[in-house]
Amino acid sequence: MGVIIHKNEASEAPEFEDGTYPAKFLGLTFQEKRWPAKDGLYGFDNGDRYVFAFVLKTDDGPLNVDAETALMSTHPKSTFAKLLQPILSAAEWATLTEGDGADFDSDDIANRPCQVTITHKESGWPKVTGVLKAKKKKVAEPVAVADDDEDEE
């Protein structure tokens, strides 16, 4: 997948380790970047991007990252699907992929927990290489309470 984290050319790469981090999906937006259009190796690209925003929970505090993709496709091998599917429930994904998607509103899925896998390129800049469903919290098993009535005799 290898989606580049949004960066400002004047800024320095954030320093943190490669790995999978607990995260929160902040939302999905569409950005019209409109750079000069050119036909590239993979066809026409006008610069428009779908931006997935996340905040990672790192040891040094929260870190905002963006992952971008040019196409909105729910094909299982598409970057858009690989970023979105882990955030949705199975029923939501089925509604989106099997229906016309008319009922899908990205605001309804904002602030959902997930996990984001980060690796670093040779340039030092991190990139999102995967999104996973959030880990389920373990529920503590009930502890049996000893009956103290027998000791009072």
Side-chain angles (χ1 to χ4, degrees), residues 99-113:
D100 62 3
D103 294 332
F104 179 75
D105 184 351
S106 63
D107 291 341
D108 293 340
I109 62 171
N111 298 313
R112 289 199 181 174

Side-chain angles (χ1 to χ4, degrees), residues 75-144:
H75 186 279
K77 292 185 178 183
S78 75
T79 300
F80 187 89
K82 289 177 182 178
L83 291 168
L84 184 61
Q85 187 174 8
I87 298 165
L88 301 177
S89 68
E92 289 170 326
W93 182 251
T95 299
L96 181 63
T97 57
E98 295 168 9
D100 62 3
D103 294 332
F104 179 75
D105 184 351
S106 63
D107 291 341
D108 293 340
I109 62 171
N111 298 313
R112 289 199 181 174
C114 61
Q115 297 179 80
V116 175
T117 302
I118 302 290
T119 58
H120 286 76
K121 301 186 319 178
E122 288 182 27
S123 65
W125 280 95
K127 63 181 178 178
V128 174
T129 55
V131 176
L132 305 167
K133 292 200 176 290
K135 287 185 178 180
K136 293 185 179 182
K137 294 181 180 179
K138 293 182 181 179
V139 177
E141 292 186 28
V143 177

Side-chain angles (χ1 to χ4, degrees), residues 11-29:
S11 64
E12 293 182 19
E15 293 185 25
F16 60 101
E17 299 294 321
D18 288 357
T20 301
Y21 292 87
K24 186 188 320 182
F25 173 68
L26 298 177
L28 172 64
T29 58

Side-chain angles (χ1 to χ4, degrees), residues 3-6 26 31 51-54 64-68 128:
V3 180
I4 299 172
I5 290 177
H6 180 70
L26 298 177
Q31 291 183 353
V51 181
F52 291 76
F54 301 94
N64 290 317
V65 296
D66 293 344
E68 299 180 354
V128 174

